[in-house]
Amino acid sequence: MKKSYVTTMPDDIGAFLKASRCFASLGINITRVSYNKAIDVHTLFIDAEGTEEQLAEADKELREIGYIHPEDRESTVMLAEFILRDVPGAVTRVLELINEFGFNISYISSQEDGTGFQRFRMGLFVEDGDKVSRFIGKASEICTVNILDYSSSDTVYDNSIFYRSFVSSISKSMDITPEKKEELLVNCNMAMQLLDSKGLSPYRTFDSIGKLAGLLMKSKGSAFCPRVTSRKITEKSCIYVIEPPCGSNITIIKSCGETLFVDTGYACYREESLRYIREIVPDFDSIVKRVVVTHADLDHIGLCPLFDEVLASENSALCMREESGGRDGFRESNPLHKPYIAICKILTSYEPVPPEKIKTMWKARPDNDFPLCHVGYLQAGEFGFDVFEGKGGHLKGEILLIDYSLKVAFTGDVYVNMHGMSAEQAEYNRYAPILMTSVDTDPDLCREERKALFQRLGAGKWLIFSGHGAVKDYCVTDEEKRDRCFTVISSSISKNLLPKRSGSIFPLSVFICVPSASTNVSDLSPPVRYPPPGRLPQPSIPDPVMISFIFLTVSGSTGFSLSYMPGPSYFEVFLLVPVPSSLSVRTASVNPPFPRSSR
């Protein structure tokens, strides 16, 4: 078991040694220590690992020696700039005033600049915040005083940003509990330590955290005014989109009496979002509530605990179960992202999804090089979605839903309609890349996934519902589809394989590969038999191609499904069709998406 301690120690020789002996005597291992005298002369962060009983005893001993940080203590470090005449003794009156108010100086910097004035910058450790305004008033009678915040461009100051004051101000404005405030303090310290180890200024990152907190608070309560739109798909089907100013869209599919949600937004907007949800779904509280999670980012799964069934890919389900068990999710497994994700969870009131509500709908994609891989289907009223899993460009476990008949696609954050964002959404989306370098786990791979997504869309007019921003109207022409074709190398059918009995199923192999001047038919490896005998594959389609292939016509109509097996430079594609007693065979060319199977 691990625990983070925020200890308050005297500025004496051997203070840390005393704490270390306490942990060592109990058999507790110290895994991280952080201390910066320029920031706070008293506070030492300690991460320790031991049993629950050992850590409880450490709590007791540290409290007895006065090292545990009191929850009700409101100490802070304030950076003040005093502009003094460059004459002997000018700073003495300021120092006397500081001593009179009982402030401790943790940082001081001064240098003459040839103007006849000196600018003294001092970090003042303040345990009684009520004294600050009186001190500034008294100091202003002596000289010009500027109270500097963390937006200062001063390099020395940036490297000693005052996270304690930062955390206190955020905690007050967002009504964060003492327990969560302690977590926030620890993670801000971890972020500070990470930036310091890389020699980076913390200004931009901490400024973004503060701005994010401000934006979240700005949209709370009656100020929560999302953009709400609806698209009528058929007489029996309509899709509604709630676009909060911060966080993901909440999309609601209503079709033939069924209701299905796609993603849920931030947890901190629970009550605000429910007002709009109940307007669209009046019986929301009494129905079986089902939601599809496009990926397990906290801005998409915040309200999932409200639902009865949370439908997810195998990898997204794994991520949510890890978090519900108190372990790191996929984002936090990256040390560079860990403190920022933890901070965002606190600011957005995130709670893990109860594991009993998580339903794994689609097995994890096979390990291959394709940006998108077909993993299954999802039926919702009139909608029949093909489900594709990405390779993790945005986040491992990401899925996309495509209905080729109704020409509707749900893309999660693999594709985001940046040009369709409101001003509030655009402002919010500026900060995540700053906090985590990039919102995408692998930006280049995510670009490949977006390219593969649009290649998969057949000719016609599409509606694209992305994770953020407005619905996108997208049109694909026949010419555009022809520009995206692969080449058929060969195709064959063995009449000896044709079953004699009506209604049987047989395989048909088609070899295709990407156009390449260096690829010859003779280079192709023998096809691998897939699926194993007696096991029907789920229809699956390689990256969009124009395929010439042989298929069976049954009474003027065709029903078939497809599967493929990747090889070094080819796919083996199987057509699975009902075979009647009399059949005719002909060759045809079909643009993807392939005709839907009768399933």
Side-chain angles (χ1 to χ4, degrees):
M1 180 178 178
K2 292 184 179 180
K3 183 172 182 179
S4 296
Y5 290 90
V6 184
T7 62
T8 303
M9 297 186 181
D11 186 20
D12 297 331
I13 294 173
F16 177 48
L17 174 62
K18 195 172 182 180
S20 179
R21 284 173 173 166
C22 168
F23 287 115
S25 66
L26 295 170
I28 297 172
N29 184 35
I30 296 176
T31 59
R32 184 182 77 96
V33 176
S34 177
Y35 173 73
N36 191 328
K37 193 168 185 174
I39 298 173
D40 187 337
V41 73
H42 300 285
T43 300
L44 176 74
F45 293 84
I46 302 174
D47 284 1
E49 185 172 16
T51 66
E52 187 174 355
E53 293 75 18
Q54 288 172 323
L55 295 174
E57 185 62 29
D59 290 349
K60 180 181 175 182
E61 292 191 15
L62 291 174
R63 194 172 289 108
E64 287 175 354
I65 62 177
Y67 276 21
I68 291 289
H69 188 77
E71 291 182 358
D72 58 349
R73 180 183 169 200
E74 286 296 335
S75 57
T76 186
V77 178
M78 172 179 67
L79 182 69
E81 181 183 62
F82 304 92
I83 302 176
L84 300 167
R85 289 191 174 276
D86 192 10
V87 295
V91 73
T92 303
R93 293 178 62 195
V94 173
L95 296 175
E96 290 173 344
L97 184 66
I98 292 171
N99 183 64
E100 178 185 328
F101 275 80
F103 297 160
N104 189 16
I105 299 175
S106 61
Y107 162 78
I108 188 167
S109 175
S110 173
Q111 187 174 355
E112 63 180 1
D113 58 8
T115 63
F117 290 87
Q118 280 199 43
R119 295 175 180 268
F120 279 82
R121 293 189 174 187
M122 301 184 191
L124 306 178
F125 182 77
V126 180
E127 296 187 87
D128 184 355
D130 295 336
K131 292 182 178 180
V132 172
S133 59
R134 289 191 295 111
F135 170 77
I136 294 172
K138 288 282 189 181
S140 298
E141 295 175 4
I142 300 173
C143 63
T144 300
V145 180
N146 297 321
I147 302 301
L148 306 178
D149 59 22
Y150 55 86
S151 63
S152 167
S153 60
D154 184 270
T155 302
V156 175
Y157 174 59
D158 275 349
N159 287 334
S160 58
I161 189 167
F162 306 126
Y163 45 76
R164 291 176 56 77
S165 175
F166 175 79
V167 167
S168 292
S169 62
I170 287 182
S171 298
K172 284 181 179 179
S173 65
M174 302 194 74
D175 197 25
I176 293 174
T177 65
E179 179 184 356
K180 290 296 183 182
K181 178 182 175 182
E182 195 83 351
E183 285 184 37
L184 186 59
L185 182 61
V186 168
N187 282 287
C188 282
N189 170 256
M190 289 179 67
M192 164 70 75
Q193 194 173 23
L194 180 65
L195 293 165
D196 187 59
S197 68
K198 294 182 174 295
L200 299 174
S201 164
Y203 156 63
R204 195 174 180 218
T205 296
F206 275 67
D207 180 64
S208 296
I209 295 172
K211 294 283 180 59
L212 175 61
L215 287 173
L216 291 170
M217 286 302 297
K218 183 181 176 181
S219 302
K220 289 286 289 178
S222 59
F224 183 79
C225 297
R227 181 168 59 189
V228 181
T229 56
S230 63
R231 292 298 186 98
K232 187 176 180 180
I233 309 302
T234 70
E235 290 299 320
K236 297 180 180 180
S237 301
C238 190
I239 300 177
Y240 301 82
V241 183
I242 302 172
E243 300 175 53
C246 303
S248 82
N249 293 344
I250 303 172
T251 306
I252 306 171
I253 300 172
K254 299 185 74 175
S255 178
C256 299
E258 293 186 36
T259 301
L260 178 69
F261 286 72
V262 179
D263 294 333
T264 67
Y266 274 135
C268 60
Y269 294 131
R270 171 181 171 141
E271 296 306 318
E272 291 87 345
S273 297
L274 282 173
R275 289 203 309 267
Y276 288 88
I277 289 172
R278 289 179 178 126
E279 287 181 9
I280 298 169
V281 188
D283 56 350
F284 176 78
D285 296 306
S286 61
I287 63 172
V288 175
K289 294 174 276 294
R290 301 166 68 234
V291 59
V292 174
V293 169
T294 60
H295 60 287
D297 268 340
L298 63 98
D299 64 327
H300 287 249
I301 62 175
L303 297 184
C304 281
L306 292 175
F307 288 76
D308 301 300
E309 295 181 6
V310 180
L311 315 181
S313 68
E314 184 176 8
N315 282 319
S316 289
L318 172 63
C319 180
M320 290 186 284
R321 289 193 179 103
E322 288 293 292
E323 291 185 341
S324 68
R327 298 175 292 275
D328 289 343
F330 293 156
R331 291 284 188 197
E332 290 164 297
S333 62
N334 183 337
L336 296 176
H337 295 175
K338 184 178 176 69
Y340 305 116
I341 295 299
I343 289 168
C344 288
K345 284 183 175 180
I346 295 169
L347 297 183
T348 61
S349 307
Y350 173 77
E351 294 294 336
V353 184
E356 64 274 10
K357 295 188 174 187
I358 302 169
K359 187 175 181 180
T360 301
M361 293 291 291
W362 307 282
K363 289 292 185 181
R365 56 169 289 155
D367 185 16
N368 56 41
D369 294 331
F370 304 121
L372 299 179
C373 192
H374 192 282
V375 292
Y377 303 99
L378 178 67
Q379 197 72 34
E382 290 185 289
F383 294 93
F385 294 106
D386 284 86
V387 182
F388 298 88
E389 183 176 348
K391 200 170 171 59
H394 181 72
L395 184 66
K396 185 178 179 180
E398 63 203 1
I399 59 170
L400 300 86
L401 311 176
I402 303 178
D403 186 308
Y404 286 110
S405 294
L406 299 177
K407 290 188 168 47
V408 169
F410 289 88
T411 63
D413 284 0
V414 170
Y415 167 76
V416 170
N417 187 5
M418 301 296 292
H419 297 293
M421 289 187 177
S422 65
E424 294 82 5
Q425 290 170 326
E427 184 177 10
Y428 160 77
N429 276 276
R430 279 202 297 268
Y431 297 115
I434 296 172
L435 296 180
M436 297 188 300
T437 308
S438 170
V439 294
D440 296 324
T441 301
D442 185 333
D444 290 336
L445 177 56
C446 200
R447 277 190 288 272
E448 289 299 311
E449 291 172 345
R450 282 193 290 275
K451 180 180 177 182
L453 160 68
F454 284 100
Q455 285 179 331
R456 287 183 179 274
L457 303 183
K461 294 181 179 179
W462 287 80
L463 291 177
I464 299 179
F465 295 83
S466 62
H468 303 262
V471 182
K472 181 181 180 67
D473 293 281
Y474 184 71
C475 183
V476 182
T477 65
D478 289 329
E479 283 188 5
E480 288 173 323
K481 291 310 299 182
R482 283 195 294 272
D483 289 341
R484 302 170 182 171
C485 68
F486 285 50
T487 302
V488 175
I489 302 302
S490 68
S491 64
S492 64
I493 181 170
S494 172
K495 292 184 179 179
N496 294 330
L497 292 177
L498 293 180
K500 307 298 183 184
R501 186 165 52 85
S502 173
S504 300
I505 292 176
F506 76 97
L508 166 68
S509 297
V510 180
F511 299 93
I512 59 174
C513 73
V514 295
S516 171
S518 61
T519 302
N520 298 312
V521 178
S522 58
D523 295 332
L524 298 177
S525 300
V528 179
R529 277 303 304 270
Y530 181 86
R535 178 181 167 190
L536 282 178
Q538 293 217 1
S540 193
I541 307 168
D543 278 334
V545 295
M546 183 179 291
I547 302 180
S548 296
F549 64 99
I550 299 172
F551 71 102
L552 302 176
T553 300
V554 183
S555 302
S557 62
T558 306
F560 63 88
S561 56
L562 290 165
S563 183
Y564 72 94
M565 182 68 174
S569 56
Y570 70 93
F571 301 97
E572 182 179 8
V573 179
F574 293 87
L575 293 176
L576 300 171
V577 299
V579 181
S581 54
S582 62
L583 53 86
S584 61
V585 179
R586 64 186 178 88
T587 302
S589 178
V590 177
N591 248 341
F594 298 102
R596 299 176 60 80
S597 64
S598 53
R599 56 182 184 270

